[in-house]
């Protein structure tokens, strides 16, 4: 299973919907219960925005051990039809990615959390949804931070059809009401085939792109990604009749570094979480004084927040 995390594979035709993402996990066997679909609680009822730190306040987290909320969710999964091949199809708020979006959750996604293994797109996207619902929705933060679906902009798709990916990125930029004031577009970027996660944060008004990588190196590792992002920004500004006052500046942020081969996805989620919680559009080149490094407890907090959210939203 680990080798398949983050890969891009086919999906049964009866589970493909127009303008929806392709699930990035091994193809499931279509059978009894496989088509079960639920509507998220959040899509039915507005939940006022609140601070992420408050959301995590009552979540007991002990580094290296499973919290009570994780053990509760694990028990729920064990007793559900997900263990027998069923899936959950969850409708996201349109505000999350600027358009209608649904996500498929299966057993492998839950196991990534429970086993602290490499994260796939479904978990990345669901935590983004959590941040949107918990911190941003109904607040001015929606005008300051935007998310781009990793299923539409990634190394695999850029290799296959860079023009289509560029246009998808332009469409995401166009979906926002105002791009003349400073704001950030978060792109969790995957190198493809279950590879490495990095965070690309774009400020369209100041023509700055921040690059956060929990391993050494910079954007030169992904030249096609940089070329596509630059081309999309230029095309967007042309469509909006904005003057390109200067060249696009890329900044490699000296962010916290991982010390193993599995934590890149957790670091990307933590980067976004902390930038939003601090309400900072300008990311310091040496990162934030509050978060010079991440301990295992910082990553466990991400998992516990997501476990609590999954329970609260009645996803299982």
């Amino acid at each position: 299973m680990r080798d398949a995390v983050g890969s891009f594979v086919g999906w049964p035709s009866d589970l493909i919907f127009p303008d929806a993402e392709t699930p990035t996990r091994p193809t499931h066997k279509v059978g009894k219960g496989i088509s079960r679909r639920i509507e998220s609680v959040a899509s039915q009822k507005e939940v006022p925005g609140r601070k992420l730190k408050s959301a995590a306040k009552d979540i007991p987290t002990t580094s290296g051990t499973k919290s009570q909320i994780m053990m509760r969710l694990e028990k729920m999964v064990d007793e559900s039809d997900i263990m027998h091949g069923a899936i959950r199809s969850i409708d996201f708020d349109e505000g999350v990615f600027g358009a209608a979006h649904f996500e498929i959750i299966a057993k492998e996604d839950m196991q990534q959390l429970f086993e602290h293994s490499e994260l796939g797109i479904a978990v990345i996207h669901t935590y983004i949804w959590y941040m949107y619902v918990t911190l941003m929705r109904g607040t001015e933060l929606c005008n300051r931070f935007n998310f781009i679906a990793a299923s539409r902009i990634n190394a695999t798709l850029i290799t296959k059809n860079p023009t289509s990916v560029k246009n998808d990125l332009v469409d995401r930029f166009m979906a926002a009401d105002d791009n003349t004031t400073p704001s950030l577009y978060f792109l969790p970027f995957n190198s493809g085939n279950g590879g490495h996660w990095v965070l690309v944060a774009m400020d369209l008004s100041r023509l700055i792109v921040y690059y956060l990588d929990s391993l050494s190196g910079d954007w030169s590792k992904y030249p096609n990604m940089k070329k596509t992002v630059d081309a999309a920004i230029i095309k967007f500004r042309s469509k909006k009749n904005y003057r390109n006052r200067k060249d696009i500046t890329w900044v490699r942020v000296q962010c916290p570094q991982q010390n193993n081969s599995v934590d890149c996805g957790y670091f990307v989620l933590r980067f976004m979480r902390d930038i939003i919680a601090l309400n900072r559009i300008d990311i310091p080149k040496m990162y934030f004084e509050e978060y010079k490094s991440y301990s295992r407890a910082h990553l466990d907090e991400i998992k516990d927040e997501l476990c609590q959210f999954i329970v609260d939203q009645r996803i299982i």
Side-chain angles (χ1 to χ4, degrees), residues 110-224:
M110 296 293 96
Q111 289 174 332
Q112 290 165 19
L113 290 176
F114 302 151
E115 299 172 7
H116 195 89
S117 59
E118 298 100 327
L119 296 183
I121 282 182
V123 176
I124 296 288
H125 282 177
T126 305
Y127 189 81
I128 286 174
W129 181 38
Y130 157 76
M131 287 190 291
Y132 177 84
V133 169
T134 304
L135 181 65
M136 296 172 54
R137 187 169 59 188
T139 75
E140 58 92 22
L141 292 177
C142 286
N143 297 322
R144 292 175 62 80
F145 302 103
N146 305 276
F147 301 104
I148 298 168
S151 54
R152 296 191 178 278
I153 317 292
N154 53 68
T156 302
L157 295 180
I158 289 174
T159 300
K160 291 180 178 179
N161 194 335
T163 300
S164 176
V165 173
K166 178 188 70 175
N167 291 336
D168 277 349
L169 195 49
V170 172
D171 289 343
R172 178 65 185 101
F173 295 155
M174 296 293 291
D177 293 332
D178 178 21
N179 284 300
T180 60
T181 57
S183 63
L184 284 181
Y185 283 83
F186 291 122
L187 168 60
F189 180 79
N190 190 270
S191 62
N193 297 319
H196 183 54
W197 288 101
V198 302
L199 179 64
V200 178
M202 294 160 271
D203 182 341
L204 303 184
S205 66
R206 297 186 297 173
L207 294 179
I208 297 175
V209 179
Y210 298 100
Y211 180 88
L212 293 86
D213 189 343
S214 55
L215 293 177
S216 59
D218 61 18
W219 52 84
S220 62
K221 294 188 292 185
Y222 312 111
N224 291 336

Side-chain angles (χ1 to χ4, degrees), residues 51-118:
K51 293 183 179 180
L52 281 170
K53 291 184 179 180
S54 298
K57 183 177 179 181
D58 299 323
I59 299 176
T61 303
T62 304
S63 179
T65 63
K66 290 184 179 180
S67 65
Q68 292 181 359
I69 187 59
M70 180 175 288
M71 290 188 291
R72 178 185 173 189
L73 179 59
E74 191 168 19
K75 184 174 185 294
M76 292 171 63
V77 171
D78 287 342
E79 295 174 350
S80 74
D81 55 357
I82 286 181
M83 294 301 295
H84 305 289
I87 61 172
R88 301 294 185 268
S89 182
I90 312 161
D91 296 310
F92 282 20
D93 305 61
E94 288 193 9
V96 178
F97 294 122
H101 181 89
F102 81 92
E103 199 65 55
I104 290 176
I105 301 293
K107 179 175 70 173
E108 304 93 280
D109 306 304
M110 296 293 96
Q111 289 174 332
Q112 290 165 19
L113 290 176
F114 302 151
E115 299 172 7
H116 195 89
S117 59
E118 298 100 327

Side-chain angles (χ1 to χ4, degrees), residues 184 186 201 210 212 251 253 275 280-285 287-288:
L184 284 181
F186 291 122
Y210 298 100
L212 293 86
V251 178
V253 178
I275 293 168
R280 292 285 297 272
I281 299 300
D282 58 317
I283 305 175
K285 188 172 183 179
Y287 205 54
F288 303 108

